[in-house]
Amino acid sequence: MRTPVIAGNWKMHKTVEEAVDFVETIQRSELPGEVETVLCAPFLALPALAEKAKGSKIGIGAQNVHWEEQGAYTGEVSVPMLKAAGVQYVIIGHSERRTYFAETDETVNRKVKAAIAGGLTPIVCVGEVLEERESGQTKQVVQEQVKKGLNGLSSEEMKKVIIAYEPVWAIGTGKASTAEDAEEVISFIRKTVADLFDQQVANEVRIQYGGSVKPENIGTYIAQPNIDGALVGGASLEPASFLKLVEAAAGDRS
Ligand SMILES: O=C[C@H](O)COP(=O)(O)O
C-alpha cells in the first residue's frame, strides 16, 4: 500500500516568522501517521522550518534546486545547501518554473538526478496546458515529460521519486480536474512508468494530483486507486485548511 503524500506548495508566500507560526499552529494538532505531510516553503524559511519540524511528522521541502553542487550560478541554491539546512524534499519542474523561468524537461532531468544523488526526495511536476487538453494531447504531453524528466534513472532511484500530475489549467483557477479525469491521466502515468522501468516500480511510485485541491474536494481524489495524495497551493496557506487536507487524506484512504 502506497502512503499518500499531502504536500503544501507555498510558492512565493510567507516570511520566516509567518512560516514558523504556521508550523507551530499545526503542531498543536495530532497529525495522522498514515499520511506523509510536507511543506514546501521559500528558501529563506527552510532552515527555521526544518529546525521546528525536527522529530515531528512534518517534512520540509524546497520549491527548486540547481543541479550543480556549487559554482558561478548567481541566485541559485544547491542540493548540499538544502541538505545542510535540514530539507528532505524538493519540487522540480513546477509549471510556474517551466513557464516563467524557462525550465525544460532536460533541466528537470538534471535536477532530479542531483536531488536523488544528494538524498532529497524530488516531487516532479508534469501536466498539460489548456490547448493541449482541448486538442486531445494530454497523454502524449505527460508521457513526454515523464520520459525526458526521469530519463536515465535506475529502478531503485525511480522508486524514490514522487510525481505530481498538475494540469496547468487547473492551477490556481478554482477549476479542478474531476477526480475521474485525474485518475485516468494518473493511471496512464503509472503505466508509462511501468513501460519505462518495470511493474514493481510502477506499483510503488507515488503519484499525486495538483490543481485547485481544497478540503471540500480532496476526498474525491484520495478515493481513486491511483492517486496518492495532492500537491496543494492556495489551500495550503492557512493552517486550518492544510490540516483538513491531511486529515481527509488519512480518513478517506483507510
Ligand atoms: O503546486 C501546487 C499547484 O500549483 C496547485 O496550486 P493550487 O492548489 O493553488 O491550484
Side-chain angles (χ1 to χ4, degrees):
M1 170 97 169
R2 299 180 296 265
T3 305
V5 190
I6 297 294
N9 175 12
W10 286 348
K11 308 190 178 183
M12 198 169 71
H13 293 280
K14 298 195 190 294
T15 62
V16 178
E17 196 184 346
E18 289 164 346
V20 169
D21 278 354
F22 183 105
V23 171
E24 284 175 351
T25 304
I26 64 169
Q27 279 176 330
R28 283 184 217 121
S29 302
E30 180 67 30
L31 290 173
E34 58 274 33
V35 178
E36 217 167 292
T37 303
V38 182
L39 292 170
C40 299
F43 286 131
L44 279 177
L46 293 174
L49 285 188
E51 188 57 36
K52 268 275 156 218
K54 220 180 243 175
S56 78
K57 289 176 183 159
I58 304 163
I60 301 300
Q63 301 169 12
N64 184 32
V65 71
H66 196 274
W67 56 83
E68 293 291 348
E69 291 193 356
Q70 57 182 359
Y73 301 101
T74 301
E76 293 292 320
V77 169
S78 72
V79 171
M81 293 172 191
L82 292 177
K83 281 290 285 179
V87 170
Q88 299 114 343
Y89 299 80
V90 59
I91 297 172
I92 296 176
H94 189 281
S95 70
E96 287 147 19
R97 296 221 49 94
R98 292 179 191 255
T99 304
Y100 306 131
F101 303 99
E103 195 125 316
T104 63
D105 291 328
E106 287 69 31
T107 59
V108 167
N109 187 245
R110 287 183 178 206
K111 291 177 180 197
V112 170
K113 286 178 174 162
I116 293 174
L120 292 177
T121 299
I123 301 176
V124 182
C125 302
V126 299
E128 80 287 0
V129 299
L130 188 59
E131 304 82 75
E132 291 164 342
R133 155 87 32 174
E134 286 176 342
S135 59
Q137 292 178 77
T138 297
K139 289 183 180 170
Q140 193 186 320
V141 168
V142 296
Q143 186 179 49
E144 186 87 347
Q145 290 171 333
V146 167
K147 259 190 194 167
K148 291 186 174 167
L150 304 173
N151 180 43
L153 297 189
S154 69
S155 292
E156 282 316 302
E157 288 170 335
M158 185 58 210
K159 286 180 191 169
K160 296 176 181 156
V161 172
I162 297 170
I163 298 174
Y165 167 57
E166 298 207 311
V168 180
W169 48 269
I171 295 176
T173 59
K175 293 182 192 142
S177 168
T178 65
E180 292 71 25
D181 278 353
E183 168 67 14
E184 185 181 339
V185 180
I186 286 175
S187 62
F188 173 77
I189 293 172
R190 200 173 295 289
K191 184 183 168 305
T192 302
V193 171
D195 293 344
L196 293 171
F197 296 88
D198 57 58
Q199 193 57 50
Q200 197 202 340
V201 176
N203 292 344
E204 286 184 35
V205 76
R206 270 96 56 84
I207 311 180
Q208 303 170 296
Y209 168 74
S212 297
V213 173
K214 309 266 179 280
E216 300 76 48
N217 63 16
I218 180 84
T220 64
Y221 300 108
I222 289 291
Q224 303 296 323
N226 281 289
I227 303 183
D228 307 313
L231 181 58
V232 187
S236 73
L237 290 170
E238 292 300 326
S241 164
F242 185 70
L243 277 172
K244 278 188 199 156
L245 293 167
V246 175
E247 283 156 9
D252 288 17
R253 196 72 172 181
S254 50

